[in-house]
Amino acid sequence: MSSAGRLETCKAVGFIGGGNMAYAIASGLLNKGVLQSEQIHVSATNLENLQMRWSPLGVKRTTVSNEEIVRKADIIFICVKPQIFPRILDAFEMAHLDTNVDWSRKLFVSIMAGVTLARLRQNLSMFRPYTLARAMPNTPMQVGVGCTVYCRIETNIANASLYKDMELMFKALGVAHEVEESKINAVTGLAGCGPAYVYEFIEALADGGVKQGIPRAMALQLAAQTVMGAAKTVLDTGKHPAVLKDEVCSPGGATIHGVHALEQGSMRGTVMNAVECATKRAAELS
């Protein structure tokens, strides 16, 4: 475990919703040493399942009370499905009645696909002045190689350090960029949903190996390592993927025959269509 930086202001981080994305963020931050388990609070509707999943991380502050998360955490990640958001607003209303909490020193971060900053501002208006952020991370954050984009509404300058803490957390877990909100849906279609496309490619690559007689466990390992290696080569060399592809394709060789088969199957067009469809769906959720 290596520390990726020290948080300036945040003492407690809360997750409303303990599903896959919340788990990816929290486990990644724990692995990087950015957070300690006692700093994490997480809520979900099923306490037994929540504890079963999160206890191995050392996280003990689990609850079914969203209100408790809102009151106790400095940075609150809203990690529920967009359609669930209206059902949890009562928890924010009830928490806000607690006059012992300095509500001006909170940062609310939504990772809900399609939920705009304008909608967050409308639904969480009781917390004015507030700092609201919207982020789109992806699940490889749990192993420290995620992609995140984010944007914000900030009317409370005192919370600038909390926003910096959020940025530190995202950057500790991979690539992170602040963008205009208009870019969020496209990034959702590319990087937010992208791991699923890559997992399908890895599975297909491994299946191809199995068809040719490679044992499945070995085929899967080779496929995953090949994808990881190719991705790292793109990032480390800075070369365009097309250039790297050409370097592998010898005239009349095996690779160019395989590339031809991918072109016949419209692989590139299909992947582009997947990004477009996911982007449109994210916009529909708005």
Side-chain angles (χ1 to χ4, degrees):
M1 181 183 296
S2 61
S3 177
R6 184 180 298 275
L7 300 181
E8 290 187 13
T9 303
C10 182
K11 304 300 182 185
V13 175
F15 296 90
I16 296 179
N20 292 334
M21 188 54 69
Y23 187 89
I25 297 171
S27 60
L29 292 172
L30 288 170
N31 289 334
K32 289 289 185 178
V34 177
L35 289 181
Q36 303 300 313
S37 58
E38 59 268 19
Q39 293 178 274
I40 297 175
H41 301 252
V42 57
S43 65
T45 54
N46 189 312
L47 185 59
E48 183 178 358
N49 289 344
L50 185 65
Q51 291 174 336
M52 186 180 303
R53 186 173 194 190
W54 287 73
S55 290
L57 295 180
V59 176
K60 304 301 182 186
R61 292 183 167 92
T62 54
T63 179
V64 296
S65 172
N66 296 326
E67 178 186 342
E68 182 180 336
I69 302 297
V70 177
R71 285 191 293 105
K72 290 185 175 180
D74 302 310
I75 296 178
I76 299 99
F77 287 95
I78 306 172
C79 302
V80 298
K81 299 294 184 185
Q83 60 269 27
I84 302 297
F85 186 44
R87 304 182 205 171
I88 67 171
L89 290 176
D90 285 348
F92 292 90
E93 295 278 4
M94 293 299 296
H96 190 251
L97 297 176
D98 189 341
T99 57
N100 294 317
V101 177
D102 184 357
W103 295 107
S104 67
R105 297 187 177 276
K106 298 274 185 180
L107 170 61
F108 297 93
V109 185
S110 166
I111 64 166
M112 296 180 289
V115 178
T116 64
L117 286 172
R119 182 178 170 191
L120 289 171
R121 178 167 54 185
Q122 178 182 5
N123 290 148
L124 302 180
S125 61
M126 74 288 291
F127 294 111
R128 292 181 180 176
Y130 43 53
T131 301
L132 304 175
R134 180 181 175 193
M136 178 48 59
N138 64 12
T139 52
M141 299 179 82
Q142 62 191 306
V143 291
V145 287
C147 295
T148 306
V149 295
Y150 50 89
C151 55
R152 64 174 162 173
I153 294 176
E154 183 177 42
T155 60
N156 179 10
I157 303 303
N159 268 357
S161 59
L162 278 178
Y163 190 74
K164 288 181 180 178
D165 283 345
M166 181 204 74
E167 289 184 305
L168 185 151
M169 286 189 277
F170 286 144
K171 289 177 180 179
L173 299 179
V175 174
H177 296 284
E178 186 171 22
V179 299
E180 297 174 359
E181 187 175 20
S182 60
K183 302 290 194 299
I184 294 281
N185 289 337
V187 175
T188 299
L190 192 162
C193 305
Y197 315 152
V198 178
Y199 298 146
E200 287 226 335
F201 179 76
I202 291 172
E203 183 183 25
L205 199 60
D207 282 348
V210 171
K211 183 179 180 182
Q212 300 306 313
I214 301 173
R216 179 163 295 280
M218 182 187 296
L220 185 58
Q221 182 189 48
L222 292 173
Q225 182 74 16
T226 298
V227 170
M228 182 175 70
K232 184 171 174 57
T233 302
V234 171
L235 293 172
D236 288 359
T237 66
K239 293 182 179 180
H240 192 280
V243 173
L244 293 169
K245 178 207 69 177
D246 287 349
E247 290 177 357
V248 182
C249 290
S250 302
T255 305
I256 192 62
H257 279 73
V259 169
H260 184 206
L262 292 176
E263 293 293 344
Q264 287 177 316
S266 302
M267 186 197 75
R268 288 193 293 180
T270 300
V271 173
M272 291 170 68
N273 288 341
V275 175
E276 182 178 11
C277 288
T279 299
K280 287 180 177 179
R281 178 55 180 161
E284 289 170 0
L285 292 172
S286 301

